[in-house]
Amino acid sequence: MNALGIQLSLSFLWAFLVAMFAVPSIIYIAHLKNMLDTPNVRTVHESLTPRLGGVAVFAGFMSALTIFAPLDNGVQQLLAGCIVLFFVGLKDDLVSISVAKKFVGQLLATGVVMIMADVRITSFQGILGIGELPIGISYAFTFFAIVGITNAINLIDGLDGLAGSIVLIIVSTFGYYFYQYGGPGFQNYAYVAVCVVGGLLGFLRYNFHRASIFMGDTGSLVCGFIVSILTIQFIEMGLKVGQPFGSASPAVALGILFVPLFDTLRVFIVRMMAGRSPFSPDKNHVHHRILAMGFQQISTVMLLGLLNVVVILLVINFAYLGSILLIGLLIVFSLLLSVLLGVYHSRAERQRIAS
């Protein structure tokens, strides 16, 4: 194993152990101080459960990254953004805050990374005939991408182990490519990936059904933000390093993020078609639909994890087709999946009414 491999292994181990040993203390304090999540109409869990698991993930990730990783190429600013979102999420988990305040936190975190580190999507790499973006459009599109992906991860956090498992799959995939092809410009993002993976694995030991702790907004906002920055850097790596997928990297990135993006877009479209605000909460997420078919929580999580892995393998193996064709395939697959979920939903609903 080379020096980089040893450093990455140590980073992973540190993040994993810190998170794993932090969780029992957090559970104990949360019960002692009655900082528990009460079940309601929208939630699936049935008992009072702490939702501060993100604190353990953040502690493992943050400490491992600052000890082992080179903090150049925007990683330092990524950490600063994570700290902002950590406190926004923590306040929301403890006392609940408005959507507007959450948005301001995301605006600050995104601004730090975009403006201070110049982390942004600079080109569409030929999609719809668009190459390099004017700087204003580049900033606007990057902001939209970061906030969109952050909230997509936040929204999918609805079942025991679901958000953690999906983030684990996504970040591991990005991490592998940063390690293999990143070079001096992008290789230190492999550290970001392994530190997240270590922190998440330490936490997931307590988060699978029946979970003794939830990730909460503390975890899902920070994880979502990290995933969004890794996505942007992965796309930029395709442009600047030319590896591993070249101009197809934007479409491959969409495939890697398939489950959270599909879920968020589908839910927003369904709500708007019903004449409601896209942000109005309901039980129409993809995991709710699969549960309504009669699957258990753990099999639903495994099914969605498997779906994400299958789509990742597809986009990686068919990257040679180019971005336009790949995005077309992803859209067709999404439509078929939506129809399938809708058919089963109406059938399950009819059976429920009949009984």
Side-chain angles (χ1 to χ4, degrees):
M1 191 185 282
N2 59 15
L4 177 63
I6 292 166
Q7 288 280 87
L8 289 171
S9 303
L10 288 171
S11 310
F12 166 81
L13 200 61
W14 182 283
F16 172 73
L17 292 173
V18 167
M20 195 171 74
F21 288 118
V23 172
S25 306
I26 294 165
I27 293 171
Y28 174 73
I29 292 163
H31 281 284
L32 196 67
K33 299 292 181 186
N34 201 30
M35 297 184 289
L36 304 168
D37 191 38
T38 313
N40 59 42
V41 186
R42 283 193 301 122
T43 56
V44 178
H45 69 285
E46 291 154 10
S47 56
L48 292 165
T49 312
R51 47 184 304 208
L52 295 169
V55 174
V57 177
F58 181 75
F61 164 75
M62 184 81 175
S63 57
L65 201 62
T66 47
I67 292 166
F68 296 103
L71 298 180
D72 52 351
N73 302 337
V75 173
Q76 186 180 356
Q77 289 78 7
L78 166 67
L79 275 176
C82 288
I83 292 167
V84 171
L85 289 177
F86 171 77
F87 285 107
V88 169
L90 187 61
K91 186 173 182 186
D92 191 47
D93 286 337
L94 294 174
V95 293
S96 201
I97 59 172
S98 67
V99 173
K101 283 182 182 170
K102 266 196 212 176
F103 182 72
V104 169
Q106 291 176 16
L107 186 66
L108 278 172
T110 306
V112 167
V113 176
M114 273 198 318
I115 295 158
M116 307 293 286
D118 202 34
V119 170
R120 57 193 173 86
I121 296 167
T122 56
S123 168
F124 274 9
Q125 303 185 31
I127 297 172
L128 303 176
I130 302 166
E132 193 170 336
L133 297 171
I135 194 145
I137 293 170
S138 170
Y139 277 122
F141 187 77
T142 303
F143 174 73
F144 175 74
I146 292 174
V147 171
I149 293 167
T150 303
N151 286 298
I153 300 293
N154 190 16
L155 287 171
I156 206 161
D157 185 24
L159 294 184
D160 297 347
L162 178 58
S165 302
I166 295 294
V167 170
L168 201 64
I169 291 164
I170 291 168
V171 169
S172 301
T173 309
F174 284 141
Y176 169 77
Y177 287 110
F178 285 126
Y179 172 69
Q180 287 284 31
Y181 305 101
F186 297 95
Q187 206 163 47
N188 61 337
Y189 282 91
Y191 283 95
V192 176
V194 295
C195 293
V196 175
V197 168
L200 279 171
L201 282 174
F203 158 73
L204 279 171
R205 171 174 169 346
Y206 304 93
N207 183 235
F208 271 107
H209 193 62
R210 295 181 169 260
S212 50
I213 190 166
F214 298 145
M215 185 185 279
D217 274 18
T218 317
S220 60
L221 285 176
V222 169
C223 285
F225 181 67
I226 294 166
V227 166
S228 70
I229 303 302
L230 290 178
T231 305
I232 289 165
Q233 295 294 56
F234 176 81
I235 291 168
E236 287 298 295
M237 184 169 76
L239 181 69
K240 290 171 184 165
V241 181
Q243 292 283 0
F245 303 109
S247 62
S249 56
V252 174
L254 289 176
I256 293 169
L257 297 171
F258 181 76
V259 166
L261 292 186
F262 167 73
D263 177 55
T264 303
L265 287 170
R266 182 188 157 277
V267 159
F268 277 19
I269 291 165
V270 166
R271 286 170 187 170
M272 287 190 288
M273 282 170 69
R276 292 183 291 124
S277 158
F279 301 101
S280 61
D282 57 24
K283 272 195 163 185
N284 208 11
H285 285 279
V286 63
H287 49 270
H288 292 133
R289 295 276 55 86
I290 294 171
L291 284 175
M293 292 178 194
F295 286 91
Q296 298 301 309
Q297 276 210 46
I298 199 131
S299 46
T300 302
V301 171
M302 289 174 77
L303 202 62
L304 286 171
L306 182 66
L307 172 66
N308 216 62
V309 169
V310 167
V311 176
I312 289 171
L313 291 172
L314 280 173
V315 290
I316 286 168
N317 285 305
F318 290 98
Y320 65 86
L321 294 173
S323 277
I324 299 289
L325 267 174
L326 269 187
I327 291 169
L329 285 172
L330 287 172
I331 291 168
V332 170
F333 183 58
S334 301
L335 290 171
L336 290 172
L337 202 54
S338 295
V339 169
L340 182 73
L341 288 170
V343 167
Y344 270 100
H345 172 217
S346 52
R347 189 178 295 171
E349 203 68 16
R350 282 200 300 272
Q351 287 171 348
R352 192 176 62 79
I353 292 162
S355 61

